[in-house]
């Protein structure tokens, strides 16, 4: 998972000796111009790429265990979903009499309201044009969709958190809605980003009668198919290599500046680093070094490297961060580098100097892209979504994945030795690269990826000859599922063209389904 919309506020903290004061004063001015000046002029509420329509919050009496024998006494729970039917008024009536298509977002690891706001393409563009019904179900065990309430995150109760159960939730909800709304003949198209894109891919793969097609943006399905890595040009370093490439392309000196800043943070007195980063104690800086939190922030930014301001991040935040780091590096002062590292970390992770300090959290120092941890996504990592990622010594940090040390041991400690990571589970059940390679019989899919996004390394990138019903979109300047966001004046032309192509393809699926 990636951090939410960040912002930076705060005052300069003295970190070095008196001899460094002039360099610090100069750098502070550069950072004020470079970071504070790069903050968005408009608020997130006025972001044209964000969803601009309202929704109703509803709850569905969902089955707890879809794979248990059917029983009237089967346990159920309250499954939250968001619904908007203001455009589903007949303006998009289809040939078969359906009022309009159903546009389904396959909710992933987080509060579903956040995914609503980041899916302006569905909400602002497609639903009004097509007269579509918008349905956004929340992934079980996230947000308010807690099968056991506050007791949902015990090892005993988390056993129902699997990708297969999540997919069944969406199948059951769609079937119920179509029946209750008299929409049995209405085609459903799935949309998803990141793990949500994986869910869209797997939903179309396993339940083609439920959805007529899907747009899976930044879906890293291939990262779960380790045996297929070599034949697809992927290895344990792919994710982190993309991160390194992004910074190197932003500025040829950026990686040198990152290494120097990391060294400066590691060598600085701990109490000064704790104060500069506005964390609660040394543990919050990371488990292996004082620069773990800084590296974690740097790894998050390429995923959010959008061409316009989002939340509190400036446009092109990787470039903005490199500019600040390179200036600090040129100053030659260690204290300048520490201050620059802290400023970027607080910007990326939404740490506000005027607010509460940051407590220790899972992620820093661990598997790139996140891995085992307490709670929902940590549990999924300990069962079926563990990423076998490492980093090179010349990257943002040095990390070597080890199945036992990185997966088995922490998972045993977190969940009382009740689960063991199965890195081949999703591929064994659904097909992995065979889906994108055209060997699983999957049709009517769009897989879109952005070259700036480290998750694109596990995406389906190569078109299959003669696979006319599947489509591949690769954005040279795209970050994490940029095309799912709504149109923005600062969008690169390639993103505008991609959305137009996606719209044309999806409408073709809808028309074909309404004629069958």
């Amino acid at each position: 998972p990636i951090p939410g919309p960040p912002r930076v506020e705060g005052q300069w903290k003295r970190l070095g000796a008196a001899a460094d004061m002039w360099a610090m004063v100069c750098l502070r001015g550069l950072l004020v111009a470079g970071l504070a000046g790069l903050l968005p002029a408009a608020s997130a509420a006025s972001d044209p790429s964000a969803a601009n329509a309202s929704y109703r919050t509803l709850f569905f009496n969902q089955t707890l265990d879809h794979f248990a024998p059917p029983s009237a006494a089967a346990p159920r729970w309250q499954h939250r979903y968001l619904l908007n039917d203001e455009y589903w008024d007949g303006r998009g009536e289809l040939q078969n009499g359906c009022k309009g298509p159903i546009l389904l977002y396959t909710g992933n690891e987080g509060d579903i309201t956040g995914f609503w706001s980041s899916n302006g393409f569905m909400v602002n563009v497609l639903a009004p044009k097509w007269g579509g019904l918008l349905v956004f179900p929340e992934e079980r065990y996230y947000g308010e969709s807690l099968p056991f309430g506050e007791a949902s995150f015990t090892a005993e109760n988390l056993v129902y958190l699997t990708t297969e159960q999540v997919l069944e939730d969406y199948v059951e909800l769609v079937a119920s809605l179509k029946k209750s709304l008299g929409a049995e003949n209405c085609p459903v198209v799935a949309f998803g980003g990141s793990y949500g894109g994986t869910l869209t891919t797997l939903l179309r793969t396993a339940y083609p009668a439920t959805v007529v097609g899907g747009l899976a943006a930044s879906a890293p399905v291939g990262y779960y198919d380790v045996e297929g890595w070599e034949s697809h040009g992927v290895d344990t370093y792919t994710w982190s290599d993309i991160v390194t490439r992004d910074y190197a392309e932003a500025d040829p000196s950026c990686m040198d500046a990152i290494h120097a800043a990391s060294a400066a943070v590691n060598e600085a007195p701990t109490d000064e680093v704790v104060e500069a980063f506005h964390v609660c104690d040394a543990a919050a800086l990371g488990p292996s070094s004082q620069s773990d939190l800084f590296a974690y922030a740097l790894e998050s930014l390429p995923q959010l490297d959008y061409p316009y301001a989002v939340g509190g991040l400036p446009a092109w935040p990787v470039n903005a961060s490199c500019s600040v780091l390179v200036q600090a590096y040129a100053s030659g002062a260690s204290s300048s580098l520490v201050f620059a590292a802290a400023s970027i970390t607080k910007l990326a992770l939404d740490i506000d100097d005027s607010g509460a300090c940051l407590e220790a959290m899972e992620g820093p120092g661990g598997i790139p892209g996140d891995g085992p941890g307490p709670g929902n996504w940590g549990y999924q990592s300990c069962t079926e979504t563990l990423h076998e990622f490492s980093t090179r010594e010349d990257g943002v940090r040095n990390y070597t994945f080890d199945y036992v040390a990185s997966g088995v041991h922490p998972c045993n400690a977190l969940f009382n030795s009740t689960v063991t990571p199965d890195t081949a589970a999703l591929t064994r059940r659904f097909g992995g690269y065979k889906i994108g390679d055209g060997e699983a019989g999957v049709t009517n899919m769009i897989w879109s990826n952005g070259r700036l996004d480290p998750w694109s390394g596990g995406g389906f990138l190569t078109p299959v000859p003669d696979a006319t019903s599947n489509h591949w979109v690769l954005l040279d300047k795209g970050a994490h599922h940029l095309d799912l966001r709504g149109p923005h004046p600062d969008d690169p032309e390639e993103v505008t063209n991609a959305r137009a192509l996606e719209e044309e393809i999806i409408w073709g699926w809808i028309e074909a389904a309404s004629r069958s």
Side-chain angles (χ1 to χ4, degrees), residues 53 129 158 168 177 228 325 349 382 429:
K129 180 177 289 189
L158 279 166
E168 285 280 347
L177 284 174
L325 284 165
L349 301 182
C382 284
R429 292 166 186 156

Side-chain angles (χ1 to χ4, degrees), residues 362-376:
E362 297 295 327
I367 299 173
D370 284 330
N376 35 34

Side-chain angles (χ1 to χ4, degrees), residues 2-85:
I2 58 179
R7 63 183 183 278
V8 63
E9 294 179 12
Q11 299 176 344
W12 166 66
K13 301 294 184 180
R14 173 101 170 98
L15 297 171
D20 289 332
M21 177 61 77
W22 176 245
M24 283 300 300
V25 170
C26 291
L27 181 66
R28 185 188 181 195
L30 291 170
L31 286 172
V32 169
L35 282 178
L38 284 169
L39 292 179
S43 68
S46 63
D47 177 6
S49 75
N52 57 19
S54 61
Y55 54 79
R56 286 188 287 154
T57 300
L58 302 171
F59 289 85
F60 175 66
N61 198 28
Q62 185 65 264
T63 300
L64 176 63
D65 184 1
H66 295 281
F67 302 100
S71 169
R76 290 184 172 269
W77 57 281
Q78 292 301 295
H79 184 189
R80 180 169 70 156
Y81 66 100
L82 312 180
L83 184 140
N84 177 298
D85 60 359

Side-chain angles (χ1 to χ4, degrees), residues 255-289:
M255 288 306 303
D256 288 338
I258 287 172
H259 296 151
S262 297
V265 170
N266 287 332
E267 294 166 4
T270 299
D271 60 338
E272 294 182 358
V273 177
V274 167
E275 182 181 13
F277 282 74
H278 195 53
V279 295
C280 298
D281 52 34
L285 295 171
S288 59
S289 73

Side-chain angles (χ1 to χ4, degrees), residues 357-484:
C357 59
L358 180 73
E359 299 278 358
M361 61 180 182
E362 297 295 327
I367 299 173
D370 284 330
N376 35 34
W377 186 253
Y379 182 83
Q380 290 191 259
S381 295
C382 284
T383 52
E384 58 188 12
T385 64
L386 187 70
H387 301 117
E388 298 190 24
F389 296 163
S390 301
T391 64
R392 301 184 195 274
E393 290 186 10
D394 61 353
V396 167
R397 61 183 170 115
N398 189 17
Y399 180 88
T400 300
F401 176 86
D402 178 84
Y403 175 72
V404 174
S406 304
V408 175
H409 287 168
C411 291
N412 283 344
L414 288 162
F415 300 105
N416 303 321
S417 300
T418 58
V419 292
T420 301
D422 183 352
T423 59
L426 294 181
T427 295
R428 187 170 60 250
R429 292 166 186 156
F430 298 101
Y433 278 115
K434 290 182 178 179
I435 300 172
D437 290 347
E439 300 175 22
V442 179
T443 61
N444 291 6
M445 282 297 306
I446 302 170
W447 291 293
S448 65
N449 285 279
R451 183 175 170 274
L452 301 178
D453 181 16
W455 296 105
S456 69
F460 298 152
L461 306 177
T462 306
V464 176
D466 302 322
T468 55
S469 69
N470 292 330
H471 304 267
W472 293 258
V473 175
L474 182 62
L475 303 174
D476 187 57
K477 293 297 183 181
H480 210 44
H481 45 73
L482 172 61
D483 52 327
L484 291 186

